[in-house]
Amino acid sequence: MTSHPYLLGAACAAPVLYLACAKWARPKPIPGIPHYPITSLLGDIPRVTEDMRVYGNIFDGGGFYNEAFKTGAPIWQLFVGPFDKWVGFADAQEMEDILNRATRTRAVDQSDIMLAAFSGTIPYGMVSLKSDDVWRKHRRVMNPLMTSKYLKSMTPAIAENARVLVDLWRSKMQRVKSKGATCFSCEDDFRYVSIDAITSIALGKSLDTIPHALSIIETSDIEIDSYGGAAFHLPKLPLYESLRYLFECIGDATTLPVFIAYIKQQTLRYTPTFRKHYKYVIDHIFSFVAEARQAVKEARALSEEYEAKSLVGMVAEKEGLPGHESLHEWELRDEIMAYILVKFLTESPSVQKTLHDELVNALSDSPESRPVTFDEMMSPEKTPYLEAVISEILRCAKVAAASSKQTTEQVELLGTVIPPGTSIAWCTHIACDNATVANEAKLRALDPVRSETSRKNGLGGRGLWKTPTDRFEPERWITVDEKTCQKTFNPRAGYSFPFGVGLRSCAGKQLAVLELKIYIATLNLAFFLGEVPKELSSHRAKIQISRVPDQTYVAPTEWN
């Protein structure tokens, strides 16, 4: 019997079967949420990949979400292959209501992509946990670090680091001028000063990467490009290299689909390179943990009070005391690891001058020649313009372009039902940039589909931005009394969520703001930052764990 009829039947059935399978596997949109046309099994992956190449991320320029929300829709779908979808959301009023409202925020939790991204490096850190009893315990143990008592004790170390950064920039600029260049890249400098400050705060002793850089700056290699920009090539300390490697491992995973991110992180754990860097960091951490515990033990034996001046000291101080919770070794390890891991002034000469005048007048005893203090940095009534500059830097830098959460139950956003298990990208900076007086009619048109609490509370005491949000303009945060001309800082002048919103917002935001104030104040007191060539001053950025600029060149000169 011939087999030709069967072959002919199979040949005819194959295209039909392919089309049926393709239709079955094609991404399935959530009804009622706009999206780009679905043209393949890959969904939006080709578009997103191209946007990452061209724009560095999907939130700026012609990037996926930035273009999507220009249509006027505050909610949009993104398809990552046939089975994984994200809902992007960009309405600041509704976002703040759901993430700050206890009755609504329980419907969302940390997303699987964040858990997968951190699973290889810090699986027991707060950022890697759902909002369960374990996470709440970690939060209770770690929260005291953000109180004024501990922030004040950390300030001298941060301020001293900032002063050493000033010395490094002076030395760099001398070498730059001697080579005929006009500016230099400070990307590594900010990484150094951050690592020094964070290790000092977390472990009680700075890694001293800035002093190390300062000690070898005169003999280091320097490369000058055709635009007059200089790049220093400095040998890195081993612990710094290990921390940077682990940080980059996490950052790479945040841009991948969940299952790929998880597989990659778990595979990384068993590679020789990862194990070497991970062990080096962990051994360093636990040497300080052991020292802190021994110091606490000795103080208790002498009936003396132990004064904690670091994260490990604070945790060790509470261990074993009645009514105080303790973390297991692996939990403590990951929280310390999480703590360690986790351009506008140069284009605004008038802002620099205004800030410099305020600091010189408000701070006594020659502030340009000494470290600033905690009380000086926490006095908005004396330095309202400093507060405004910091807030505007955070707003414009868009450090956290979006935060990802996952629905744990059915939730309604602006009249659209989102099913359980859906990943949501809270596009905070797009939402806040769109919360303007110019867009007020569009925002008010959404009121009928807002939640009852959102309609009742409205803007929650905030204003809408009166001037375009693509400008760096610290004055937008300043209120001037018509009678006295007194200037005050208004933290609710408009929408800005640089650290996220709600229960799972950045736990270390108070410390981050304090550090930024100290660095900006110290650098502004020492230097005027001149403009750099436009070829070296791009605002293009890539997204890792946070938003990272591609170029960071400065041209510091002493104030006359």
Side-chain angles (χ1 to χ4, degrees), residues 456-472:
K456 179 181 177 181
N457 293 298
L459 300 179
R462 296 183 187 274
L464 294 174
W465 297 122
K466 297 180 178 63
T467 55
T469 49
D470 58 351
R471 298 178 188 168
F472 179 74

Side-chain angles (χ1 to χ4, degrees), residues 25 93 139:
Q93 180 179 329
R139 186 84 168 192

